[in-house]
Amino acid sequence: MKIAITGATGYIGQRLILAALRAGHEVLALSRRPPASRSSVKWYPFDLADTMPLSFPHDLDAVYHLAADTRHPQGADQVERTAAQRLINAAGVIGAKFVFISSQTARANAPTGYGRIKWQIERLTLEAGGWVIRPGQVYGGPERGLFGQLCGILRHLPVLPVFFPAPVVQPVHVDDLAAALLACPALGVPTMLCVGAPGATNFTTFLKAIVRGRTGGRQPLCIPVPTMLIRGAGWFLGPRLNAQLGFDRLSSLFTLPQMDTEADLERLKLTLRPLSSGMSRSGRCRRELLREAHILLTYVLRMPPASLLMRRYVRAIEAFRTGRALRLPQLILRFPALLALLDGAGCVEAAFRSELVWRLNTAVMLAEASPQGARRFLGLERVHGWKWSALRMTLAIMSEFVRRMVQLFLRPILACVGRRGTFQ
Amino acid sequence: MIGESEMHFDVVIVGSGPAGVSAAFPLIEAGLNVLMVDGGCGTTLNPPVGQFLDIRRADASQWQWMVGRNFHSVRHSDAVSPKLRVPTHEAVFEGFGAANSIVADDFVVVGSLAPGGLSNAWGCGVACFTDFELAPFPVAPAEMRVSYGAVARRIGVSGAREDDLSDFFGLDEWSQPPMPIDELQGGLLARYSRCRDRLLQNGFRLGRARVAALTEPLGARSACDQSGCCLWGCARRALYSATEDLKLLLGRNGFHYRSGFVVERVSQEGEYIAVTGRCEAGSGLVRARRVLLAAGTLASTRLALQAIDHRVPVSLQSCPTAAFMLWLPQRLGRFHSKSFGLGQLSYSLTLVDGTQCFGSLFNTTGIPVSEFARHMPFGKRLGVDLLEPLLTSCVVGNLFLPGGMTDVTLRLDANDRLVVRGAYREEVATLMAEVHRRLRASFWRLGAVVMPTSFKIGLPGADIHYAASLPMRTEPGRGETDPYGELAGAAGIHVVDGASLSSLPAKSHALTIMANSDRISRHLVKILR
């Protein structure tokens, strides 16, 4: 595709460009300042307040409108609406798809001007047959946008504010959002898509994830803060200071309408990465998962797995589970064969047990589908003949018997495993 | 777009599966103007090319077709059949229930929006219904026979051999020679010929499976090379899929095809039938003198019930199934070898009360070991330790009981959704126990052991043999069809897929669906021309 991106230097824009280039698309960046990856994209100076006529190259496939004035000074409504209309018209002339990045706060009667103008532009976009994407709480990657503000605040605060009544957010990693944006033009009939974690995440959980992943990791003291206080402060500070300190955006979080995202994610064929891995600087928290992959796959294969296979296992866990590694006992971490003690053991805590079953089944499926697995599962390089086969089968059956007996003996010890099962 | 709203056709065929394409041939040959529509979920991944064992040994990218780049088989690890986990068939099963407004309660619902329908992923079992089995049909067996022949020759079937199942299958005159048999099943068959009389007395008959797979080239399709990749799809196109017929039809005069058009409603409009549906560009409408419903039993039933606004539950037949593993101890220690991955042997078993059941045996090489490991009462590591030397001397079998033994109701609810509810009849549990016992005894005589705990009864609907929801009757009532599949109360709408079969014996029914569709279509030619 050949795509144009407004707000190309912004938090989302920057990541969208990277994702687009990685997918082999050609990118035109529309922004006030040239984008960082200037060599590989074409830059066109663009300001929301421009009034000059706008024209796009004829072979452009899609226009992504990300630019917005988040400080939202007086009179911005008109400016943003006009800018959006100009872009929609210009895209319409050449038949390019139009994708508008809105906000979860968008409503006709939103408490912030930001939410109201987003709502108005949503209408314009949908009327013109364009796509509207409503992202949840965007996080991850470079510390910019509201996410950057939150990181900054938490880094300087000696305590962790716990707002009550507890607001909820639907986090989406900035790179997952970029993937959704790139996927939508190919989906057929344009519509509005909500992109965020399907279930609501408590805002405090979200802040704690930032602390864990970004600001040092030690859990600071939690101080309850009534949301009324923030709103009161906002009123007291006046609109300008309020906007500068980010209080208005913070208070808009407290009245977020929950989005039903499941069907839209399904349509986009997108599985969002879990918060815990998305929050780390690399966007993935793989070291522990790789260790788990090593243990489970070694247990199944009876030999160390190829590194590609381990990474495949990690991706599967990230795609379908919480992305957290199982907490396995130290001894098993050192001797993967000891996983036999936990495999199918009835006394292990129930949630841990069913999670282990799922992960072991996945490990078996993935391990088998590799040349390494083919040798092990099909016995391609084994000595055959009925004596050897009978011997191996007898050994397996006897070992299974012994394994069950040992599991029975170690019942009291095994029952402790998984109690702290924080894989969820 | 072919079917602009003003376009009129002689016939619109809804669905491009085996029933749809079989109906199309006689119509096209008679010079009629035909439009075929389907849901258009295209295939995204090609089947593996080459010998299964060679690819497994060397190809580092095998996980892409074994598990899928998006981890398709992990995502569907709860699915009832290994087939539903195969990444190369992902598009075949995708989105069927949702697109066709079908909801299920305690019943496995499977269907397809893909060009070629479920035949992209079928077991290729073919059989003719005997005159006895055709008795509930308001059709002369001789008339069916003509159509059986035409379809069997067109799609290419193999397995012809004078054996104890020749009459049961009834299609040897049109068949290619049988597949080369592997040493496991060859051994079973050899032993069968030695103790045949005893087994026949017990109602057990064994013979070569008849399959829609080529042992000799046919048109652009190559003969089977025993690659063992059958489960994943055949790169040589030796296995029949309705897409093969679709390719033949596409060049023909008078044939129009529109993929990606999901039919939502079929209704009478004066002398025409209007077919409305949705596609990427929005909604669409085409008109025709006749409409043939071949969207798969469940989807066709929904459209038919909706057309006559019939909101009373109708019944459906579906074969209770089971699967089991056979161990041939004297073959212990052999190597995996190349072999045909679908049915090589079939058996039929007559129970004490006269119930006929049927099943086939399969080589295990091309089936992932993880499919067995998941059912083993063993730890994973030792489970694989045991299965690896064991599986080379094992075959797996399946079993079907007659379709009337599942009580299934289909009801069109107020929102025009089809609600499917089903359960096995009470006697199924006892019959399954008898079958299990009898199979154990019969195979024991053949030197094979039905592995303990391996006999597993499937969930209702897991057979994916659904039929007889709108049965053909001489004098059809509401919710039934006439001898040519024409829906009572909706002239011009014909049901040509499994829905209009009059009954479903324990037997592969695809060929009968195709033959019936061919027969109805021949009749329509006479009327429309």
Side-chain angles (χ1 to χ4, degrees):
Chain A
M1 281 199 300
K2 187 167 179 175
I3 61 172
I5 301 173
T6 75
T9 53
Y11 173 38
I12 302 171
Q14 208 184 17
R15 303 299 288 191
L16 179 60
I17 290 182
L18 286 179
L21 293 176
R22 214 175 295 142
H25 302 314
E26 199 180 324
V27 178
L28 315 182
L30 278 66
S31 49
R32 282 173 297 189
R33 286 165 289 115
S37 43
R38 203 168 6 167
S39 54
S40 36
V41 301
K42 273 199 192 121
W43 174 52
Y44 292 86
F46 172 84
D47 191 317
L48 284 171
D50 281 344
T51 48
M52 280 176 294
L54 197 63
S55 70
F56 288 123
H58 278 273
D59 54 347
L60 193 71
D61 295 293
V63 177
Y64 289 92
H65 183 29
L66 278 69
D69 196 334
T70 47
R71 288 164 303 135
H72 202 79
Q74 294 294 318
D77 288 32
Q78 191 54 41
V79 170
E80 290 210 23
R81 210 166 32 231
T82 317
Q85 193 61 60
R86 281 168 60 223
L87 288 163
I88 291 173
N89 293 346
V93 168
I94 53 156
K97 307 227 163 98
F98 187 78
V99 185
F100 172 59
I101 286 64
S102 181
S103 156
Q104 195 177 356
T105 58
R107 255 175 303 162
N109 56 350
T112 57
Y114 178 78
R116 287 191 296 274
I117 186 68
K118 286 285 189 195
W119 189 82
Q120 290 166 14
I121 299 176
E122 279 186 357
R123 299 302 108 189
L124 293 178
T125 306
L126 290 172
E127 272 164 33
W131 291 91
V132 170
I133 306 292
R134 275 191 186 171
Q137 176 65 53
V138 185
Y139 75 94
E143 290 174 12
R144 304 187 52 188
L146 178 56
F147 169 64
Q149 281 181 334
L150 290 174
C151 290
I153 293 171
L154 289 175
R155 203 165 272 132
H156 292 113
L157 276 187
V159 292
L160 182 76
V162 176
F163 297 102
F164 70 90
V168 290
V169 290
Q170 291 171 279
V172 51
H173 191 276
V174 63
D175 291 342
D176 289 339
L177 177 61
L181 291 173
L182 291 175
C184 71
L187 284 187
V189 192
T191 163
M192 176 150 78
L193 295 173
C194 299
V195 183
T201 304
N202 188 312
F203 191 55
T204 309
T205 312
F206 183 72
L207 293 182
K208 280 184 178 165
I210 294 183
V211 170
R212 241 196 326 266
R214 296 285 175 150
T215 66
R218 242 183 322 130
Q219 204 66 253
L221 193 64
C222 295
I223 298 291
V225 180
T227 52
M228 286 298 290
L229 200 68
I230 298 293
R231 285 191 209 173
W235 175 81
F236 179 75
L237 290 169
R240 234 186 103 195
L241 258 179
N242 194 8
Q244 261 178 11
L245 292 173
F247 271 37
D248 61 338
R249 296 181 75 182
L250 197 57
S251 51
S252 73
L253 281 176
F254 302 147
T255 53
L256 279 185
Q258 200 180 334
M259 306 186 294
D260 194 3
T261 61
E262 209 151 345
D264 292 346
L265 291 176
E266 176 91 350
R267 201 162 161 217
L268 287 160
K269 294 212 162 82
L270 190 67
T271 314
L272 301 183
R273 72 194 70 191
L275 192 56
S276 55
S277 55
M279 200 57 88
S280 67
R281 273 179 205 285
S282 62
R284 315 205 168 266
C285 137
R286 288 198 143 165
R287 205 182 325 140
E288 289 189 346
L289 272 176
L290 277 169
R291 197 155 61 160
E292 175 187 315
H294 178 79
I295 291 160
L296 265 65
L297 292 166
T298 306
Y299 173 66
V300 171
L301 285 169
R302 278 188 179 276
M303 65 175 109
S307 66
L308 273 173
L309 182 55
M310 300 203 308
R311 265 178 273 160
R312 206 170 294 144
Y313 172 87
V314 171
R315 276 199 290 129
I317 298 298
E318 283 172 345
F320 299 110
R321 310 313 260 192
T322 57
R324 287 270 194 97
L326 285 173
R327 275 206 185 167
L328 295 166
Q330 276 300 323
L331 213 53
I332 293 181
L333 296 179
R334 292 189 54 195
F335 305 103
L338 291 180
L339 196 60
L341 296 175
L342 291 184
D343 185 1
C347 48
V348 176
E349 197 256 337
F352 184 91
R353 190 177 60 217
S354 67
E355 186 63 22
L356 183 63
V357 167
W358 193 93
R359 291 187 189 208
L360 270 173
N361 275 331
T362 303
V364 170
M365 260 192 261
L366 290 170
E368 179 171 19
S370 65
Q372 213 178 0
R375 284 195 292 277
R376 155 95 166 121
F377 283 67
L378 296 175
L380 293 177
E381 279 154 19
R382 288 260 186 196
V383 186
H384 281 250
W386 75 268
K387 276 186 206 153
W388 281 108
S389 296
L391 183 68
R392 289 216 305 280
M393 282 164 58
T394 316
L395 263 178
I397 293 169
M398 278 165 49
S399 313
E400 178 66 19
F401 178 73
V402 171
R403 191 183 78 94
R404 294 283 182 101
M405 295 312 287
V406 174
Q407 274 187 349
L408 209 61
F409 273 117
L410 296 182
R411 236 183 123 83
I413 301 173
L414 294 178
C416 303
V417 176
R419 287 267 172 80
R420 298 169 305 150
T422 49
F423 51 85
Q424 276 165 337
Chain B
M1 170 173 153
I2 306 158
E4 265 92 31
S5 56
E6 290 313 307
M7 285 290 266
H8 289 59
F9 296 90
D10 290 317
V11 179
V12 169
I13 303 175
V14 182
S16 61
V21 296
S22 300
F25 281 102
L27 301 171
I28 294 299
E29 271 149 28
L32 293 169
N33 199 20
V34 176
L35 171 69
M36 178 177 282
V37 298
D38 68 34
C41 281
T43 45
T44 44
L45 190 59
N46 293 324
V49 180
Q51 286 290 327
F52 182 78
L53 290 172
D54 297 343
I55 315 173
R56 290 296 311 281
R57 192 173 279 126
D59 181 10
S61 62
Q62 56 186 283
W63 70 282
Q64 297 185 0
W65 53 267
M66 284 190 74
V67 183
R69 258 175 262 179
N70 56 357
F71 302 109
H72 174 77
S73 53
V74 176
R75 185 191 309 268
H76 294 276
S77 51
D78 301 331
V80 292
S81 155
K83 251 180 210 162
L84 301 176
R85 273 187 281 278
V86 170
T88 44
H89 297 330
E90 178 177 357
V92 176
F93 302 106
E94 200 174 48
F96 172 79
N100 283 304
S101 303
I102 295 170
V103 285
D105 210 357
D106 294 335
F107 194 80
V108 180
V109 161
V110 177
S112 176
L113 293 176
L118 289 177
S119 71
N120 287 293
W122 69 317
C124 291
V126 284
C128 299
F129 285 8
T130 58
D131 291 0
F132 176 74
E133 286 160 342
L134 283 174
F137 288 65
V139 179
E143 202 186 340
M144 276 301 275
R145 205 70 205 144
V146 175
S147 292
Y148 272 130
V151 172
R153 278 191 296 263
R154 189 184 80 233
I155 70 174
V157 298
S158 64
R161 191 169 167 175
E162 220 17 75
D163 64 18
D164 282 345
L165 293 181
S166 290
D167 295 336
F168 178 84
F169 288 118
L171 43 69
D172 289 354
E173 57 188 293
W174 311 298
S175 298
Q176 299 181 353
M179 286 286 164
I181 197 163
D182 66 29
E183 64 178 299
L184 294 174
Q185 300 191 48
L188 283 176
L189 196 59
R191 278 220 27 187
Y192 173 77
S193 58
R194 291 206 292 276
C195 52
R196 175 171 170 268
D197 296 335
R198 220 17 221 283
L199 287 165
L200 282 180
Q201 268 171 25
N202 289 332
F204 181 88
R205 287 187 293 167
L206 188 75
R208 295 303 310 266
R210 270 59 167 183
V211 282
L214 303 178
T215 49
E216 290 163 356
L218 181 72
R221 298 164 57 201
S222 313
C224 171
D225 63 349
Q226 287 90 54
S227 73
C229 297
C230 304
L231 178 65
W232 320 93
C234 186
R236 297 171 63 86
R237 294 157 62 189
L239 304 179
Y240 171 78
S241 147
T243 52
E244 296 298 343
D245 281 336
L246 197 54
K247 283 184 197 131
L248 298 180
L249 285 166
L250 279 173
R252 305 285 286 267
N253 258 341
F255 183 78
H256 308 276
Y257 172 59
R258 199 155 157 232
S259 203
F261 185 91
V262 178
V263 174
E264 287 179 324
R265 178 176 285 277
V266 179
S267 51
Q268 278 171 310
E269 225 184 60
E271 55 182 320
Y272 284 100
I273 314 285
V275 180
T276 37
R278 61 179 189 281
C279 51
E280 208 154 82
S283 55
L285 169 71
V286 284
R287 293 188 180 83
R289 292 157 72 193
R290 301 277 166 154
V291 169
L292 307 189
L293 296 181
T297 299
L298 296 172
S300 291
T301 305
R302 190 186 78 84
L303 291 171
L305 295 180
Q306 190 188 35
I308 53 170
D309 197 31
H310 189 66
R311 312 230 165 224
V312 182
V314 297
S315 65
L316 171 96
Q317 300 194 6
S318 157
C319 297
T321 68
F324 57 90
M325 189 151 98
L326 274 184
W327 181 38
L328 287 70
Q330 71 276 34
R331 304 281 158 181
L332 186 64
R334 69 182 273 278
F335 276 101
H336 278 291
S337 60
K338 63 186 233 171
S339 70
F340 179 55
L342 300 177
Q344 294 187 26
L345 289 180
S346 291
Y347 64 88
S348 95
L349 183 66
T350 313
L351 302 183
V352 179
D353 64 353
T355 306
Q356 278 264 345
C357 45
F358 163 77
S360 297
L361 303 181
F362 302 80
N363 186 291
T364 57
T365 302
I367 306 172
V369 177
S370 53
E371 292 292 345
F372 301 100
R374 69 171 67 233
H375 298 298
M376 291 264 294
F378 264 60
K380 295 294 171 217
R381 176 181 260 203
L382 294 170
V384 177
D385 282 0
L386 178 66
L387 284 169
E388 179 260 302
L390 176 68
L391 277 178
T392 54
S393 54
C394 288
V395 295
V396 284
N398 63 10
L399 164 85
F400 295 96
L401 292 181
M405 299 209 161
T406 314
D407 281 324
V408 193
T409 57
L410 307 178
R411 186 176 55 82
L412 196 64
D413 75 0
N415 301 322
D416 278 359
R417 293 179 315 169
L418 190 75
V419 183
V420 189
R421 268 208 183 101
Y424 289 150
R425 291 208 170 158
E426 257 175 43
E427 68 259 34
V428 169
T430 15
L431 286 178
M432 284 288 188
E434 186 192 340
V435 171
H436 186 187
R437 205 176 53 243
R438 300 271 301 278
L439 285 180
R440 226 165 32 206
S442 306
F443 282 116
W444 179 251
R445 285 201 168 272
L446 301 179
V449 182
V450 175
M451 287 294 259
T453 75
S454 77
F455 190 88
K456 294 259 188 323
I457 299 174
L459 296 171
D463 56 320
I464 321 179
H465 288 195
Y466 315 131
S469 47
L470 306 162
M472 293 185 295
R473 302 278 182 238
T474 320
E475 310 227 324
R478 250 172 103 70
E480 292 178 340
T481 52
D482 81 352
Y484 295 103
E486 193 164 1
L487 189 62
I493 300 178
H494 295 257
V495 182
V496 300
D497 56 18
S500 63
L501 297 190
S502 302
S503 85
L504 179 66
K507 205 170 204 180
S508 307
H509 67 325
L511 192 70
T512 305
I513 294 176
M514 297 172 87
N516 191 43
S517 172
D518 174 271
R519 182 187 63 86
I520 293 172
S521 161
R522 281 165 200 263
H523 167 76
L524 286 180
V525 165
K526 285 182 221 149
I527 299 175
L528 294 175
R529 200 158 50 175

